[in-house]
DNA sequence: GCCTCCCGCCAGTTC
DNA sequence: GAACTGGCGGGAGGC
């Protein structure tokens, strides 16, 4: 059968000329079921070899041959085709087989992808192995393996799967999706895709009017080529391609195309990309010289392939854009709203400037490279520059993870090295700490010095992008790195931790407990003297990033937090944060508290320079890395000054919030609704000597997403999952990052850590603190198991007199599913002059699931990049509707095609 | 007739 | 050298 046999035809007689031997069914599937999780490197048998004993009936064979020679017959047969039971096909008569032929639509990649996705949970458990055996999948889905590659490649571009070995992938689900999208957005921005899109549109326009088209084309080409010479596949840490083959066809790879395609959506406003534009951009990057029609057509084909998969993922939706030149197919982003990158801590570098910073860490780079290209075969793929820094922190994270305790143990208060590890007794972990100490401090010190000198010598900042922003404002917008670096190890989930100042009258030292905002609400409700201290938070929970300007404005209104919050909202509304008119009171509270945090963020940063200057002068502190704690130190100073002014207002608002929040925080099926921020992280830091790093940070990003689909036992929601997950996925973002022991030692503060709620206590507070097991790591509030972290938190709060005895503060509140309320769409009068028609989905949609929090937040209709409402206008007039709709994609008037 | 995209050839890569 | 992987484009189905 020649070519037909060259590929695996796992199933059924789909095509007339295909070998009928490997059919759906039967014995192989049974075997597959008996052998779940295919053998990693097992070579799938060829169709002919696979089922030699499953011949078709002679009649069926005859039919196939007949239909092969006659397209009419074939088409007639296919029109009659029914999707009969696959497993019975071999027993069907010829007519029955004919009817079993699926129609073309039934074989579409989109539908196939739906079936594929249905096999795996969106948020798989880390402990259960979600291996994908391509052969098995192809067989079960009744398609050839070639098609599975198409799907898998796109999924891989989103890091929803990663390749384990030949014929074998591992399913990550959507755990990494938010991070991936953020990364892609960042890279897309760096690559100036927005400008490219505009350039292409402009070019089209000028072409239309014959305005010096040739010259503009050249300009555009040079623009594109200069901007994209080094565009490459964007990887996430821990999810790297392990096979050189994957790296070998980079430019035209469906993966890369898919990523670029996604980038176009993420950077464009409105988030609608026409196939034509996308193809042109993609071609432009590949081969500008032959922008011929065939290449264009090929690109379009591939984009359809990608789009089908993305549609199945519900990331995009097909629409039609009617422009002057007619109706064009396009796709609209319907996926999660990707927050602005200002707080994407790991992605803060731009391609050019990062190099200087990278050069400081050759070791890390080599390690990164090693991870990237383990086989060292052909390094066609290079990590995008924006990720180099990320990789650096990953390597650091990995070290920390390796040295992370599996079981928290209270450390001794003696100042010797022996007391340093709170960590487990496991030797490798112990060994890892000194290694970290040896490697990191000088570098950190160096970085810190750079930070310190940054105010005076802005150009010497290791984060060049921050330099221009560090202006003469009293409240200079914090260099992203400065703010985020200390929390660089923090997954977005933990960046929402809010330090709360705990005055400690007994010891004379105050504490800063980093709380999840919801915890902070609760705590502040009990103690009027509490202040929320902001961290640069990822805003996956719906907190939009804040512009420097908005920050400055907010800072000027520190007397009135609510006003500041409102102002911040106002400041952001125009560009980033939509005004939500009908938001619930709980959300308003949340927002208020977020604004408070943002407000405080400024103050924190304002004091950074001075405090760092002071700090670096002290020998004992020189060893300490620039960290959030240093900022915290000065935040506290600020707070001391401003506490009196603000506490009243804050208390009022926060008390209301906490009550509101508590009321609405009913435990429910929130696995899917949980975002990465859901894990509260808290630790207490004596304010008088707080210049040490952020303590235990528990990036359990993927554990938080264990879905209800996966049906996890509660045990899996505990710390074991993160560890498992780390092992399974090699994700450095998962795991426990311990506080640097030397730094603890430097301030002579024993650290006590728990897991989901991490608290470090001063010696005065540590005395009675219970020792907690790591098994409680990340314990979910939904768990019926008593949460020890809650006990500790309550213990701590009671101990410091912040809450009365007997009062219980929820230690691990989970963000409630807060649906985005309807709100007027902000109109973005973009230059787009087009009419949008929503495509009728080809794939039958299943009943919509209840929207998760993630989706709710992400799909903020009027989000930063939300598209203007483009009305379907059957009359053909090009209009942008003055949208009043709530959800763009739903508001689009669907024009049935 | 155009849009969409399935299908499978075939070349590069891996084992 | 067999098997895996995936770029690529012909051409069929759908509208």
């Amino acid at each position: 059968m020649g070519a037909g046999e060259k590929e695996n035809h796992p199933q059924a007689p789909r095509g007339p000329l295909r070998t009928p031997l490997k059919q759906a069914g039967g014995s192989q599937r049974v075997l597959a079921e008996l052998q779940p999780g295919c053998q990693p490197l097992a070579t799938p048998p060829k169709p002919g070899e696979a089922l030699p004993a499953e011949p078709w009936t002679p009649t069926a064979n005859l039919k196939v041959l007949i239909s092969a020679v006659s397209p009419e017959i074939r088409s007639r047969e296919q029109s009659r085709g029914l999707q009969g039971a696959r497993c019975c096909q071999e027993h069907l008569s010829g007519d029955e087989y004919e009817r079993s032929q699926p129609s073309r639509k039934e074989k579409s990649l989109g539908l196939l992808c739906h079936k594929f996705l249905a096999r795996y949970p969106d948020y798989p458990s880390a402990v259960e192995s979600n291996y994908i055996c391509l052969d098995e999948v192809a067989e079960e889905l009744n398609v050839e393996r070639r098609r599975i590659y198409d799907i898998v490649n796109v999924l891989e571009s989103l890091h929803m799967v990663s390749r384990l070995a030949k014929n074998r992938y591992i399913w990550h689900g959507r755990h990494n999706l938010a991070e991936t999208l953020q990364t892609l957005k960042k890279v897309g921005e760096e690559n100036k895709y927005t400008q490219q899109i505009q350039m292409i549109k402009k070019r089209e326009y000028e072409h239309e009017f014959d305005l010096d088209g040739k010259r503009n084309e050249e300009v555009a080409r040079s623009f594109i080529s200069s901007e994209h010479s080094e565009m490459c596949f964007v990887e996430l840490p821990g999810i790297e391609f392990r096979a050189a083959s994957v790296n070998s066809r980079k430019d035209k790879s469906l993966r890369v195309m898919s990523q670029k395609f996604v980038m176009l959506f993420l950077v464009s406003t409105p988030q609608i990309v026409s196939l034509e534009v996308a193809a042109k951009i993609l071609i432009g990057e590949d081969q500008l010289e032959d922008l011929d029609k065939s290449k264009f057509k090929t690109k379009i084909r591939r984009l359809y392939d990608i789009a089908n998969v993305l549609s199945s993922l519900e990331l995009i939706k097909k629409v039609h854009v009617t422009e002057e030149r007619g109706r064009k197919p396009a796709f609209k982003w319907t996926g999660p709203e990707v927050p602005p990158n200002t707080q994407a801590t790991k992605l803060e570098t731009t391609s050019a400037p990062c190099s200087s910073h990278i050069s400081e860490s050759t070791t890390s780079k080599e390690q990164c490279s090693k991870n990237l290209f383990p086989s060292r075969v052909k390094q066609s793929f290079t990590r995008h520059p924006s990720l180099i820094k990320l990789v650096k922190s990953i390597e650091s994270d990995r070290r920390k993870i390796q040295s992370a305790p599996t079981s928290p143990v209270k450390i001794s208060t003696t100042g010797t090295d022996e007391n340093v590890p709170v960590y487990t007794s496991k030797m490798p972990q112990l060994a890892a700490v000194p290694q970290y100490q040896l490697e990191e401090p000088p570098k950190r010190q160096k970085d810190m010095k750079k930070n310190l000198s940054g105010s005076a010598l802005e150009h010497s900042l290791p984060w060049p992008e921050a330099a221009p922003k560090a202006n003469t404002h009293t409240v200079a917008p914090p260099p992203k790195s400065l703010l985020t670096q200390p929390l660089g190890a923090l997954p977005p989930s933990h960046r929402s931790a809010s330090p709360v100042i705990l005055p400690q009258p007994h010891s004379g030292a105050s504490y800063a407990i980093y709380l999840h905002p919801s915890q902070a609400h609760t705590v502040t409700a009990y103690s009027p003297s509490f202040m929320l201290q902001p961290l640069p938070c990822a805003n996956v929970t719906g907190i939009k990033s804040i512009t420097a300007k908005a920050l400055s404005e907010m800072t000027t209104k520190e007397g009135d937090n609510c006003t500041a919050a409102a102002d911040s909202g106002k400041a952001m509304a125009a560009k980033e944060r939509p005004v939500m008119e009908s938001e619930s009171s709980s959300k308003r509270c949340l927002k208020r508290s977020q604004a408070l945090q943002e407000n405080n963020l400024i103050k924190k940063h304002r004091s950074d320079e001075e405090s760092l200057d002071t700090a670096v002068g002290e020998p004992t502190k020189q060893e300490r890395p620039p960290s959030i704690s240093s900022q915290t130190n000065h935040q506290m100073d600020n707070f001391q000054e401003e506490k009196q002014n603000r506490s009243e207002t804050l208390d009022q608002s926060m008390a209301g919030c906490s009550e509101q929040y508590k009321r609405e925080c009913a435990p429910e099926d929130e696995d899917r609704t949980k975002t990465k921020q859901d894990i509260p992280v808290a630790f207490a830091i004596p304010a008088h000597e707080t210049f040490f790093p952020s303590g235990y940070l528990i990036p359990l990003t993927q554990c938080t997403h264990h879905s209800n689909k996966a049906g996890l036992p509660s045990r899996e929601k505990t710390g074991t999952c993160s560890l498992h997950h780390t092992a399974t996925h090699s994700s450095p973002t998962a795991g426990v990052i311990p506080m640097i022991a030397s730094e603890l030692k430097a301030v002579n503060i024993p650290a006590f850590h728990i897991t989901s709620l991490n608290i470090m206590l001063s010696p005065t507070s540590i005395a009675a603190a219970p020792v907690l097991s790591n098994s409680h790591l990340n314990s979910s509030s939904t768990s019926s198991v008593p949460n020890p972290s809650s006990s500790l938190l309550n213990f701590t709060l009671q101990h410091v007199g912040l809450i009365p005895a007997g009062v219980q503060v929820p230690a691990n509140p989970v963000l409630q599913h807060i649906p985005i309320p309807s709100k007027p769409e902000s109109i973005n009068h973009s230059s787009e002059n087009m009419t949008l028609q929503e495509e009728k989905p080809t794939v039958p949609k299943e009943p919509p699931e209840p929207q998760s929090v993630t989706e709710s937040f992400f799909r903020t209709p009027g989000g930063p990049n939300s598209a203007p409402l483009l009305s379907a206008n059957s009359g053909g007039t090009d209009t942008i509707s003055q949208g009043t709709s709530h959800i763009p994609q739903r508001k689009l008037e669907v024009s049935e095609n």
Side-chain angles (χ1 to χ4, degrees):
Chain A
M1 198 140 216
E5 283 183 347
K6 199 160 184 182
E7 295 206 16
N8 294 315
H9 304 285
Q11 288 295 319
R14 296 169 59 246
L17 290 175
R18 314 220 1 229
T19 174
L21 290 178
K22 189 168 182 179
Q23 302 205 18
S27 56
Q28 267 217 337
R29 182 173 305 163
V30 171
L31 283 175
E33 284 168 1
L34 290 175
Q35 236 176 340
C38 64
Q39 297 304 312
L41 294 173
T43 297
K46 285 219 162 195
E49 303 159 354
L51 298 169
E54 289 187 5
W56 280 12
T57 64
T59 313
N61 267 326
L62 185 60
K63 283 284 179 184
V64 170
L65 290 171
I66 290 172
S67 69
V69 294
S70 169
E72 287 80 13
I73 293 174
R74 192 167 67 220
S75 111
R76 191 186 64 215
E77 286 170 350
Q78 290 190 350
S79 69
R80 282 192 285 158
L82 296 171
Q83 200 170 18
R86 292 175 314 198
C87 60
C88 300
Q89 277 182 0
E90 64 264 35
H91 304 301
L92 299 178
S93 70
D95 284 345
E96 287 166 333
Y97 165 66
E98 291 164 15
R99 282 194 293 272
S100 75
Q101 290 289 306
S103 74
R104 186 182 168 88
K105 276 195 170 181
E106 288 167 332
K107 290 186 278 187
S108 76
L109 199 63
L111 185 56
L112 179 62
C113 187
H114 264 284
K115 293 179 189 170
F116 182 91
L117 295 172
R119 294 168 53 91
Y120 309 99
D122 279 354
Y123 298 96
S125 157
V127 288
E128 72 179 290
S129 56
N130 288 283
Y131 295 114
I132 301 170
C133 179
L134 293 187
D135 232 34
E136 199 175 287
V137 173
E139 182 182 331
E140 290 179 13
L141 295 182
N142 196 24
V143 292
E144 61 183 289
R145 196 160 59 188
R146 178 70 195 82
R147 304 278 74 78
I148 302 296
Y149 285 130
D150 289 339
I151 295 172
V152 161
N153 284 342
V154 176
L155 294 178
E156 203 172 15
S157 75
L158 298 172
H159 302 113
M160 292 180 69
V161 300
S162 58
R163 191 171 182 270
L164 270 188
K166 190 170 80 175
N167 201 27
R168 199 179 198 202
Y169 286 75
I170 187 166
W171 173 256
H172 301 309
R174 295 177 187 253
H175 281 308
N176 304 310
L177 191 57
E179 193 179 355
T180 302
L181 294 178
Q182 203 167 22
T183 306
L184 292 178
K185 186 177 185 181
K186 174 75 176 173
V187 175
E189 286 167 353
E190 287 175 2
N191 282 277
K192 297 189 171 66
Y193 272 136
T194 314
Q195 290 94 318
Q196 278 192 67
I197 293 170
Q198 287 167 357
M199 181 71 76
I200 284 175
K201 285 178 178 173
K202 186 184 171 196
R203 205 169 65 198
E204 284 175 359
Y205 178 82
E206 288 172 346
H207 251 295
E208 215 165 295
F209 297 96
D210 209 14
L211 298 175
D212 201 4
K214 204 154 193 169
R215 187 178 57 83
N216 279 294
E217 188 138 340
E218 284 171 8
V219 170
R221 288 186 179 196
S222 64
F223 179 82
I224 290 173
S225 62
S226 65
E227 292 296 336
H228 295 272
S229 54
E230 292 192 21
M231 187 63 196
C232 54
F233 188 83
V234 178
E235 289 187 348
L236 278 188
I239 306 177
E240 296 119 5
F241 294 127
R242 288 170 171 76
S245 65
V246 179
N247 300 329
S248 61
R249 305 175 191 179
K250 55 171 183 178
D251 286 341
K252 298 163 188 172
S253 158
L254 209 64
R255 287 186 200 85
V256 177
M257 280 184 64
S258 170
Q259 288 194 332
K260 290 174 181 173
F261 193 39
V262 169
M263 283 178 205
L264 294 180
F265 289 103
L266 297 179
V267 302
S268 61
T269 306
Q271 290 179 303
I272 297 168
V273 176
S274 74
L275 280 180
E276 192 180 325
V277 168
K280 282 177 179 171
I281 288 176
L282 296 184
I283 291 171
E285 289 175 9
D286 285 346
Q287 283 175 309
L288 288 165
E289 56 275 13
D290 33 55
L291 195 62
D292 56 75
K293 193 137 190 168
S294 72
K295 250 193 165 45
F296 183 76
K297 277 180 70 179
T298 300
K299 271 310 186 219
I300 293 283
R301 286 190 197 107
R302 298 288 80 77
L303 284 175
Y304 275 121
D305 293 341
I306 295 166
N308 273 329
V309 178
L310 295 179
S311 297
S312 296
L313 291 167
E314 296 178 346
L315 293 178
I316 61 172
K317 190 169 196 170
K318 190 174 177 198
V319 293
H320 275 108
V321 170
T322 305
E323 291 177 325
E324 290 85 350
R325 291 199 298 172
R327 188 167 169 264
K328 281 186 192 172
F331 289 89
K332 179 182 186 307
W333 182 255
T334 59
E337 192 74 39
V338 180
N341 283 298
T342 52
Q343 295 179 345
T345 59
K346 294 180 176 179
L347 308 167
E348 55 201 5
T349 58
T350 55
S351 45
C354 71
S355 54
S356 64
H357 195 57
I358 298 157
S359 62
E360 298 175 22
S361 175
T362 314
T363 315
S364 296
K365 234 170 80 178
E366 287 172 358
Q367 185 67 31
C368 140
S369 174
K370 201 166 139 191
N371 292 333
L372 239 180
F373 306 104
S375 59
R376 287 277 178 192
V377 176
K378 195 176 177 182
Q379 301 194 2
S380 304
F381 271 64
T382 53
R383 196 182 296 276
H384 189 276
S386 67
L387 291 174
I388 301 276
K389 201 168 185 179
L390 169 61
V391 167
K392 221 176 98 180
S393 81
I394 287 158
E395 286 309 314
S396 168
D397 290 355
R398 281 189 177 151
R399 277 196 298 272
K400 294 173 188 173
I401 289 164
Q402 284 164 3
S403 63
T406 55
S407 176
V409 179
K410 181 183 173 182
I411 63 170
S412 132
T413 53
T414 61
T416 63
D417 276 340
E418 295 80 52
N419 70 25
V420 161
V422 216
Y423 320 123
T424 72
S425 57
K426 293 186 178 179
M427 289 310 292
Q429 294 167 346
L430 288 173
V433 173
Q435 181 194 355
Y436 184 85
Q437 290 174 315
L438 285 173
E439 289 179 14
E440 294 300 327
K443 199 170 70 190
R444 289 184 169 205
Q445 191 176 342
K446 191 176 172 184
D447 286 351
M448 185 173 71
K449 282 182 177 175
K450 283 187 177 181
N451 286 340
L452 294 170
S453 60
S455 55
L457 304 167
E458 290 168 358
H459 59 274
S460 68
L461 275 171
W463 310 285
E465 74 274 16
K469 295 177 185 173
N471 51 24
T472 54
H473 277 285
T474 313
V475 183
K480 281 185 282 182
S481 302
L482 187 58
L483 289 175
T484 58
Q485 193 102 347
L487 286 181
L490 269 176
S493 55
H494 302 92
R495 288 172 211 138
S496 58
S498 309
V500 175
I501 306 302
L502 308 183
Q504 174 53 286
H506 324 314
S507 63
S510 297
Y511 294 88
I513 293 185
Y514 280 67
L515 294 172
H516 191 274
S518 52
Q519 292 175 323
H521 302 167
T522 309
V523 170
T524 49
Y526 284 113
S527 173
S529 59
F530 266 165
M531 290 300 296
L532 278 183
Q533 191 75 341
L535 287 179
C537 300
N539 46 17
V540 187
T541 52
I543 309 170
K544 300 296 177 190
S545 81
I546 186 163
T547 61
K549 193 178 173 184
L551 284 169
S552 299
E553 287 176 5
M554 286 164 51
T555 318
T556 62
K557 298 174 181 174
E558 54 195 42
D560 185 345
N561 289 298
C562 289
T563 310
D567 287 346
S568 74
K570 202 189 298 175
M572 287 180 285
K575 193 175 179 182
E576 293 183 344
R577 193 197 307 234
V579 179
M580 300 188 179
E581 296 290 343
S582 56
E583 63 188 349
S584 67
S585 58
S586 65
K587 254 201 110 181
R588 279 200 301 270
C589 286
L590 205 58
K591 196 168 158 187
R592 222 183 306 165
S593 69
Q594 288 160 3
L596 284 171
Q597 295 177 24
E598 291 161 350
N599 188 2
N600 290 327
L601 178 65
I602 308 155
K603 299 192 171 301
K604 176 185 68 179
H605 179 66
R606 186 163 56 181
S607 61
D608 276 341
E609 292 179 7
E610 307 160 19
S611 61
L612 286 171
D613 280 334
T614 311
V616 79
E618 297 180 29
T620 55
K621 291 175 182 174
Q622 279 184 352
E623 293 298 311
R624 299 165 198 160
S627 68
I628 192 65
S629 53
S630 67
Q631 299 167 16
T632 307
N633 193 20
H634 304 284
Q635 295 165 17
M636 293 172 187
D637 291 341
N638 275 339
F639 279 138
Q640 300 293 336
E641 299 168 9
E642 298 162 5
K643 190 162 59 177
Q644 293 301 322
N645 294 338
R646 295 197 284 173
S647 59
E648 264 188 47
T649 314
L650 177 66
D651 290 340
Q652 288 165 6
S653 64
M654 296 312 295
C657 284
S658 80
E659 287 305 313
Q660 197 88 25
Y661 186 84
K662 278 188 289 183
R663 275 198 299 273
E664 297 185 12
C665 257
E668 59 180 16
D669 176 23
E670 71 245 314
D671 284 337
R672 287 197 59 182
T673 69
K674 286 168 78 176
T675 63
K676 292 184 176 182
Q677 285 70 15
D678 292 346
I679 307 301
V681 176
F683 41 89
I685 304 167
H688 69 102
E689 180 72 329
T690 53
F691 196 32
F692 62 83
S694 49
Y696 284 87
L697 311 177
I698 315 291
L700 297 169
T701 59
Q702 297 172 351
C703 288
T704 63
H705 296 284
H706 292 158
S707 71
N708 39 13
K709 283 188 185 179
L712 279 184
S714 62
R715 190 183 69 84
E716 291 173 5
K717 294 177 181 176
T718 64
T720 52
C721 78
S722 88
L723 299 174
H724 275 291
H725 193 89
T726 305
T728 308
H729 293 195
S730 307
S731 171
T733 59
V736 179
I737 301 176
M739 180 179 178
I740 300 164
S742 64
E743 292 157 358
L744 281 172
K745 182 184 158 191
V747 292
N748 196 23
I749 290 172
F752 182 88
H753 76 278
I754 57 175
T755 53
S756 62
L757 176 67
N758 290 291
I759 299 180
M760 279 193 264
L761 301 175
S762 77
T764 56
S765 305
I766 200 77
V771 175
L772 298 173
S773 155
N774 196 43
S775 65
H776 298 109
L777 183 77
N778 191 27
S779 59
S780 165
S781 64
T782 57
S783 168
S784 58
V785 178
N787 191 341
S789 58
S790 175
S791 310
L792 183 56
L793 174 63
N794 285 295
F795 162 81
T796 308
L797 297 178
Q798 289 167 16
H799 180 69
V800 297
L802 287 168
I803 59 174
V807 172
Q808 293 295 309
V809 174
N812 198 355
V814 176
L815 284 181
Q816 177 74 346
H817 176 178
I818 304 171
I820 295 294
S822 308
K823 64 172 184 60
E825 182 77 26
S826 64
I827 306 302
N828 183 352
H829 293 278
S830 78
S831 60
E832 307 278 341
N833 188 24
M834 54 191 182
T835 302
L836 199 64
Q837 295 174 321
E838 196 162 7
E839 187 81 351
K840 210 176 163 184
T842 46
V843 177
K845 298 282 182 182
E846 291 166 13
E849 297 176 2
Q851 249 193 344
S852 70
V853 146
T854 308
E855 289 165 343
S856 300
F857 278 121
F858 281 162
R859 296 190 179 184
T860 304
N865 296 316
S866 70
L869 282 184
L870 302 172
S871 71
N873 191 334
S874 54
T877 53
D878 299 333
T879 57
I880 299 174
S881 88
Q882 303 293 308
T884 53
S885 56
H886 312 317
I887 300 175
Q889 67 263 30
R890 290 177 191 151
K891 289 303 169 186
L892 297 172
E893 295 169 31
V894 179
S895 152
E896 306 286 344
N897 290 329

